[in-house]
Amino acid sequence: AESLELIFEGLDTYARVYLNDTLILEADNMFRTWSVEVKALLKRKNTLLVHFSAAESRAKKDAGHLSYTLPEGWRSFTRKAQYQYGWDWAPKILTCGIWKPVSLVARGRRTDSTLEKPGAATPAELISFRVKQLADSSALTKAQASVRIWSAGNRKATLLISCKGFPTQVLHEVNLRKGSQEVLVPFLFPDAKKWEISGRGEPHLYTFQCTLAADQSDTLSSVTGFRDATLLRFPDSTGESFGFRINGRDVFARGANLVPPDIFPSRVPDSVYHALVAEAKAAGMNMLRVWGGGYYLPDVFYDYCDRYGIMVWQDFMFACSMVPGDPGFLENVRREAQEQVDRLSRHPSIVLWCGNNESDEGWHNWGWQKQYAYTPADSAKIWKDYQRLFCELLPAVLDSLDPGRPYLPSSPVWGWGRKESMQRGDSHYWGVWWGMEPFEAYRRKTGRFMSEYGFQSLPAVSAWKGIADTLSITARSLRHHQKHPRGFETISHYLENYFGVPADFGDYSYVSQLQQSYGMKIAMNAHRGHYPTCRGSLFWQWNDCWPSVSWSALDYRLQRKLFYDEARRAFDSLFVYTDAGERGLSTTVHFDGVDDVSLTIRLYYIRTDRVAEPISVDERSIRLKPDSILRDCIFYPANQMRNMDSTSMVFVTEAISNFTFSTLYRDYYHRCA
């Protein structure tokens, strides 16, 4: 071979690589691919040694170079999955090792079948090929192929780009130089069918092929889709909007925050990523947020999101901390971002890049300046370093590699303790749980886009088999799997106010899930009912990384909690609910499907001692267009409810629709005793 390249797709995190006792590579980033040319060093028998250093000790050494302490300890210095340092739903387990494949790639292999003469090197080879959308204007879609090619020498070559089902082929002449190079080929793809989100149509995907004309057997393919995605942020009477418009239609984003599905990333099979996306679609979701404290997920996850029409809010891997600003760190992050943006930009499912999770809010609202006793000069330096990374470096990478896709420097835009969080941008509302506010606070704390909110529950009792030696919330082995400092106390506090605290552990687990369902139902109803003022509801959290007591809807084994079914109801394209206000019971219907729908809405109540005798309150026939909401569809005055026993009455709302078959949607309203 002309070239032998040793490629490490993932080293976690600080590693020195030796080949035959020669240092060939020093790695310091879990999120980057590392490669080195090794042909000159290889022998018939070879020794490859990868020597890792402990991440925390290395980070501590790097932190010692600063005159001040950055928030959240040493993890700010390490380009490593942040959740492994411990979170309020994750243990502290700092993994170390080779976490992705390693390969030795030969290029320019000498074979007798080479086109030029026996024994000559293959003239050129394809390394990678990706197609992504550049811009769209009605029926004229602009695309770009990114082709990486290795060449044995300086020569001319022809690239042939084609797509099955389309007669037009793109021929592109290129002058190659010795070694590897990237070739960008812009082209037009007329009359492309749009990639639509779940519930809005077919997520059309196209498979493109690239062939080197000099060697017809060297062909690579790339799958992508075409859609218009806009982040709507404009001033209005409330403050500033925040939401998405896909293919010219406004969207209510329905979904959740995804955390890493295991504390050990290397042991997650493709089937788990498939299940996470398939379960989201089954629950009526159209968006998943890849949270910034984990790792960039493998292509298979985004492939499934593309296939199922699930939008992805993609964080860069920064969460709840500030960053060092030295040139070495920034250059490391720049290369990380370039690699990940280049890899992921072909996926139509990604509709937003976000710089970090809660770092801006932490700096302004969490008291770090006082806690770490920063001088004015220290504070100015830390904030300047933050802005250089999230407001300059990352936008510049995106402008060069993925122009046009929306970018948000930090989520949320405003912290939940400030009034602006309900008026402008996205919001992480933690007044319920962290603030110990009642569930009913969700009704009045509805912002423009609710990108985080949640409440804890226990998984099913079966989830603890082989893990906890004693099933009790006071047992040490079980409390080890509750990482929130006041988790059980907070759950029990709400149980005392809403359901009562069961003595039996099995009952406690079950009722904790009932309580989670009840609280989250109030939140999701409020968010959905405030459309279009509120344009999204992403609850915290979708899944777990280990067996734990957490905010998840799916436990570590991907078993559904009771809350899952409540989310599926609240996230249906046709949403109906009845809620109580000062004036009485009011029924709201929101529809964001594809075609007009005719409905019959019924409201009645059932006495729990006479369940076979529902008492009708009202019935109404309506017709709704897509993206429409109807409030006070049926209204039941408060004065008619005053003499009712709230502990024995359940109000039921039914929406009967006729698409291609009859579908029944139900919502139940009752007060907890």
Side-chain angles (χ1 to χ4, degrees):
E2 289 289 309
S3 167
L4 286 166
E5 188 177 15
L6 185 60
I7 301 174
F8 294 88
E9 295 183 27
L11 295 173
D12 178 13
T13 293
Y14 296 104
R16 294 164 65 89
V17 182
Y18 297 85
L19 178 60
N20 298 326
D21 299 324
T22 299
L23 178 64
I24 62 171
L25 175 65
E26 292 187 80
D28 59 357
N29 191 323
M30 176 180 176
F31 308 127
R32 286 176 57 187
T33 297
W34 303 88
S35 62
V36 61
E37 172 62 48
V38 296
K39 181 175 174 64
L41 292 174
L42 287 175
K43 302 180 294 186
R44 288 188 176 274
K45 293 184 179 181
N46 300 274
T47 300
L48 182 65
L49 172 66
V50 184
H51 182 272
F52 290 91
S53 301
E56 200 163 38
S57 61
R58 172 65 181 270
K60 182 178 180 180
K61 180 181 178 181
D62 291 344
H65 296 151
L66 294 180
S67 60
Y68 48 80
T69 300
L70 287 178
E72 303 302 322
W74 304 320
R75 67 177 174 85
S76 302
F77 295 84
T78 309
R79 294 313 300 142
K80 174 178 178 57
Q82 301 288 282
Y83 76 113
Q84 294 180 339
Y85 284 85
W87 226 266
D88 53 8
W89 43 267
K92 181 178 180 179
I93 299 180
L94 293 173
T95 58
C96 184
I98 302 172
W99 76 289
K100 286 187 175 183
V102 184
S103 56
L104 182 65
V105 178
R107 306 196 193 283
R109 288 167 290 179
R110 299 179 183 276
T111 67
D112 290 341
S113 62
T114 305
L115 295 178
E116 295 186 353
K117 63 180 181 178
T122 304
E125 300 175 18
L126 295 175
I127 299 175
S128 65
F129 167 58
R130 297 189 183 97
V131 173
K132 61 184 178 183
Q133 178 179 344
L134 285 182
D136 185 88
S137 178
S138 64
L140 193 60
T141 300
K142 297 179 181 178
Q144 177 175 277
S146 172
V147 189
R148 186 159 289 278
I149 307 171
W150 182 91
S151 177
N154 299 331
R155 61 180 296 114
K156 291 184 178 181
T158 301
L159 293 175
L160 174 64
I161 299 173
S162 60
C163 181
K164 184 179 180 181
F166 282 80
T168 303
Q169 295 182 334
V170 178
L171 287 174
H172 185 77
E173 301 291 336
V174 59
N175 292 317
L176 298 176
R177 65 181 185 277
K178 186 176 181 178
S180 64
Q181 54 246 275
E182 183 182 35
V183 178
L184 301 179
V185 184
F187 63 95
L188 298 179
F189 195 68
D191 302 318
K193 294 181 180 179
K194 297 292 189 181
W195 179 89
E196 295 286 358
I197 66 173
S198 179
R200 289 284 181 90
E202 185 72 21
H204 290 285
L205 297 172
Y206 293 95
T207 301
F208 292 87
Q209 286 191 328
C210 179
T211 302
L212 270 174
D215 184 0
Q216 294 293 328
S217 64
D218 196 11
T219 300
L220 294 178
S221 61
S222 176
V223 179
T224 193
F226 302 102
R227 86 289 177 273
D228 298 329
T230 306
L231 178 62
L232 302 173
R233 299 188 67 182
F234 52 82
D236 57 22
S237 58
T238 302
E240 183 184 50
S241 69
F242 191 103
F244 295 90
R245 179 173 292 158
I246 306 297
N247 298 328
R249 289 185 56 190
D250 291 359
V251 172
F252 184 89
R254 315 185 298 259
N257 290 262
L258 185 82
V259 302
D262 202 293
I263 196 67
F264 298 101
S266 58
R267 70 179 183 188
V268 182
D270 290 353
S271 59
V272 168
Y273 293 112
H274 184 198
L276 289 169
V277 178
E279 287 281 48
K281 180 175 176 62
M285 296 183 183
N286 58 26
M287 177 175 280
L288 288 170
R289 176 188 176 217
V290 179
W291 173 74
Y295 54 89
Y296 303 96
L297 299 181
D299 275 303
V300 65
F301 166 79
Y302 303 94
D303 288 339
Y304 286 125
C305 289
D306 291 345
R307 187 186 308 175
Y308 286 111
I310 303 297
M311 296 180 288
V312 175
W313 168 321
Q314 178 66 51
D315 282 4
F316 287 95
M317 292 302 114
F318 297 90
C320 307
S321 65
M322 302 304 281
V323 293
D326 61 277
F329 181 86
L330 293 176
E331 176 62 17
N332 196 358
V333 173
R334 184 183 68 82
R335 294 190 179 189
E336 166 195 323
Q338 286 176 331
E339 177 180 336
Q340 297 300 335
V341 172
D342 180 59
R343 175 176 72 94
L344 297 176
S345 58
R346 71 172 177 87
H347 293 283
S349 54
I350 298 178
V351 297
L352 178 69
W353 292 99
C354 181
N356 67 72
N357 173 78
E358 295 185 349
S359 296
D360 188 307
E361 177 184 1
W363 179 252
H364 289 101
N365 296 333
W366 294 357
W368 284 340
Q369 286 92 327
K370 182 177 180 180
Q371 178 183 351
Y372 294 99
Y374 293 135
T375 66
D378 290 341
S379 292
K381 174 66 166 57
I382 294 170
W383 182 242
K384 182 179 180 180
D385 290 342
Y386 172 93
Q387 290 181 308
R388 286 175 64 193
L389 177 54
F390 297 109
C391 301
E392 297 175 18
L393 188 153
L394 291 179
V397 170
L398 290 169
D399 285 345
S400 65
L401 296 176
D402 197 18
R405 198 155 348 206
Y407 171 73
L408 183 69
S410 182
S411 175
V413 175
W414 299 90
W416 66 266
R418 305 176 68 175
K419 66 178 182 179
E420 292 91 343
S421 69
M422 296 293 115
Q423 301 168 346
R424 305 178 63 184
D426 74 311
S427 176
H428 294 189
Y429 176 62
W430 288 106
V432 175
W433 184 266
W434 281 100
M436 302 298 284
E437 296 179 4
F439 290 132
E440 290 73 22
Y442 282 130
R443 295 191 178 111
R444 53 186 174 81
K445 296 286 187 174
T446 300
R448 313 310 303 271
F449 190 105
M450 306 304 291
S451 49
E452 273 193 31
Y453 61 95
F455 198 88
Q456 277 196 355
S457 72
L458 279 71
V461 173
S462 61
W464 301 114
K465 185 177 180 180
I467 295 171
D469 50 14
T470 303
L471 294 183
S472 168
I473 64 171
T474 61
R476 182 178 180 182
S477 59
L478 196 141
R479 291 188 75 88
H480 179 63
H481 290 259
Q482 165 61 278
K483 290 302 181 183
H484 190 279
R486 297 190 67 254
F488 283 126
E489 291 76 6
T490 302
I491 292 173
S492 295
H493 168 80
Y494 280 86
L495 286 174
E496 289 172 357
N497 286 281
Y498 288 94
F499 289 89
V501 183
D504 177 77
F505 179 80
D507 291 343
Y508 187 96
S509 297
Y510 178 72
V511 178
S512 77
Q513 291 195 27
L514 283 177
Q515 177 168 259
Q516 181 190 36
S517 296
Y518 178 75
M520 297 297 277
K521 173 181 179 176
I522 294 176
M524 290 183 294
N525 284 352
H527 304 161
R528 193 79 186 265
H530 278 79
Y531 180 80
T533 302
C534 178
R535 292 176 177 264
S537 181
L538 308 180
F539 63 78
W540 184 271
Q541 63 202 71
W542 184 223
N543 61 310
D544 283 322
C545 71
W546 76 318
S548 65
V549 183
S550 79
W551 296 263
S552 68
L554 300 174
D555 69 18
Y556 174 63
R557 293 182 173 91
L558 301 183
Q559 297 179 101
R560 299 174 178 178
K561 294 183 180 179
L562 298 179
F563 165 44
Y564 178 95
D565 291 311
E566 198 59 65
R568 179 165 54 184
R569 183 201 62 80
F571 287 162
D572 198 287
S573 292
L574 177 59
F575 168 77
V576 56
Y577 87 108
T578 298
D579 210 350
E582 294 182 0
R583 298 169 52 236
L585 289 178
S586 175
T587 300
T588 298
V589 183
H590 176 218
F591 179 60
D592 65 353
V594 179
D595 301 313
D596 293 4
V597 60
S598 296
L599 300 170
T600 299
I601 309 295
R602 295 172 182 161
L603 176 65
Y604 55 90
Y605 63 84
I606 300 173
R607 288 182 51 173
T608 54
D609 58 346
R610 298 181 185 177
V611 294
E613 302 176 15
I615 303 171
S616 177
V617 173
D618 200 354
E619 178 177 312
R620 182 178 174 187
S621 296
I622 61 173
R623 184 174 179 84
L624 290 176
K625 293 183 176 297
D627 304 323
S628 61
I629 187 166
L630 182 61
R631 299 180 177 88
D632 288 347
C633 174
I634 296 178
F635 187 76
Y636 193 59
N639 59 7
Q640 297 186 33
M641 298 176 59
R642 289 181 183 138
N643 296 326
M644 294 182 176
D645 181 1
S646 63
T647 63
S648 64
M649 305 297 292
V650 178
F651 282 85
V652 181
T653 309
E654 288 184 347
I656 304 172
S657 67
N658 187 5
F659 298 105
T660 57
F661 55 89
S662 181
T663 309
L664 180 65
Y665 300 81
R666 276 202 181 97
D667 175 61
Y668 298 88
Y669 170 78
H670 63 90
R671 296 171 181 162
C672 289

